[in-house]
């Protein structure tokens, strides 16, 4: 049994390396299709959360999922008060938190980001505002832009009751305001997060000319600068 488990882990590692070297990366499966050519509804000027949130004074974490983690990571890395952002997987177990399995839709994970932040400088409500406004299109069900499958779903993984209440209240507020033609598909799920492989971390910073980054993620940064200039580093 032990040898079979070890063989499975070696296979996963080998698959990850092959995918990386072959430039078959986590995002952009439909870039060349009509779906891939239709940009998501991002960069909307929407109201900030109306419900007040009381947070601990110590450093906190927020976990969001909204399609490919490269662009969402890059957005929040530029926000004042955010001290660190990691790409990873949420929604299933640590044992299956490998790119080869997640990207193939073989787990219940979603590609996600873990945001470490200082509540004295940026609140969870501020992060929610940016997440729904520029980081992704919250109306797309089990896909995002050129990427399809539940691993690219829009979801929030609250770390505590205050975050859960804030996320629920904001989703209700946005649905009532009807900024989008379709209802919000974002779900609130139990907290979990497992860091992704090293080659996914800081992907935009390391690969600014990657075709997926240029087409799908740099517009997110432009929208962040346009709509949240005072919050950008």
């Amino acid at each position: 049994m032990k040898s079979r488990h070890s063989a499975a882990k070696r296979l996963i590692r080998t698959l990850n390396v092959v995918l990386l070297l072959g430039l078959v990366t986590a995002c952009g499966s439909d870039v060349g299709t009509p779906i891939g050519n239709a940009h998501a509804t991002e960069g909307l000027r929407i109201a900030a959360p109306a419900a007040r949130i009381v947070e601990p004074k110590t450093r906190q974490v927020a976990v969001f999922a909204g399609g490919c983690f490269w662009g969402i990571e890059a957005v929040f890395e530029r926000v004042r008060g955010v001290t660190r952002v990691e790409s990873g997987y949420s929604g299933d177990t640590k044992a299956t938190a490998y790119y080869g399995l997640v990207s193939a839709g073989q787990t219940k994970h979603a590609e996600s980001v873990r945001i470490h932040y200082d509540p004295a400088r940026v609140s969870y409500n501020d992060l929610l505002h940016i997440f729904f406004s520029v980081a992704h299109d919250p109306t797309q069900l089990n896909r995002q832009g050129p990427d399809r499958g539940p691993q690219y779903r829009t979801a929030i993984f609250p770390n505590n009751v205050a975050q859960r209440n804030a996320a629920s209240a904001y989703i209700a507020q946005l649905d009532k305001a009807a900024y989008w033609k379709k209802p919000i598909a974002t779900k609130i799920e139990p907290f979990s997060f497992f860091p992704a492989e090293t080659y996914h971390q800081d992907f935009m910073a390391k690969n600014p000319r990657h075709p997926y980054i240029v087409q799908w993620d740099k517009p997110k940064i432009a929208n962040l600068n346009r709509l949240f200039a005072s919050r950008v580093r």
Side-chain angles (χ1 to χ4, degrees), residues 106-123:
Q106 298 299 308
T107 78
K108 296 179 180 179
H109 286 294
E111 289 194 10
S112 62
V113 296
R114 179 166 60 184
I115 304 161
H116 301 253
Y117 67 99
D118 179 358
R121 301 180 62 197
V122 61
S123 72

Side-chain angles (χ1 to χ4, degrees), residues 64-66 72 76 127-136 154-156:
F64 300 144
I72 297 182
F76 286 105
L127 300 179
L128 285 173
H129 193 192
I130 293 170
F131 175 65
F132 281 100
S133 177
V134 305
H136 80 309
T154 170
I156 296 172

Side-chain angles (χ1 to χ4, degrees), residues 151-193:
Q151 65 270 37
Y152 300 110
R153 67 188 181 272
T154 170
I156 296 172
F157 301 84
N159 190 36
N160 52 47
V161 174
Q163 288 186 358
R164 176 174 289 275
N165 291 341
S168 297
Y170 195 40
I171 289 174
Q173 175 187 331
L174 294 178
D175 262 333
K176 184 177 181 179
Y179 291 103
W180 297 270
K181 294 181 180 179
K182 297 186 294 182
I184 291 173
T186 308
K187 301 299 182 184
I188 298 176
E189 304 183 28
F191 181 85
S192 66
F193 182 85

Side-chain angles (χ1 to χ4, degrees), residues 29-65:
S29 57
D30 289 322
V31 168
T33 71
I35 291 175
N37 293 330
H39 278 273
T41 305
E42 300 167 356
L44 295 182
R45 191 177 297 278
I46 61 178
R52 183 170 175 266
I53 182 172
V54 177
E55 298 190 81
K57 295 182 180 180
T58 55
R59 299 290 174 90
Q60 298 295 302
V61 298
V63 176
F64 300 144

Side-chain angles (χ1 to χ4, degrees), residues 9 21 29 38 50-51 73 80 94 100 109 156 194 216:
K9 292 187 70 173
L21 294 178
S29 57
E73 177 193 66
R80 292 181 184 275
K94 181 178 180 180
H109 286 294
I156 296 172
F194 307 101
W216 294 98

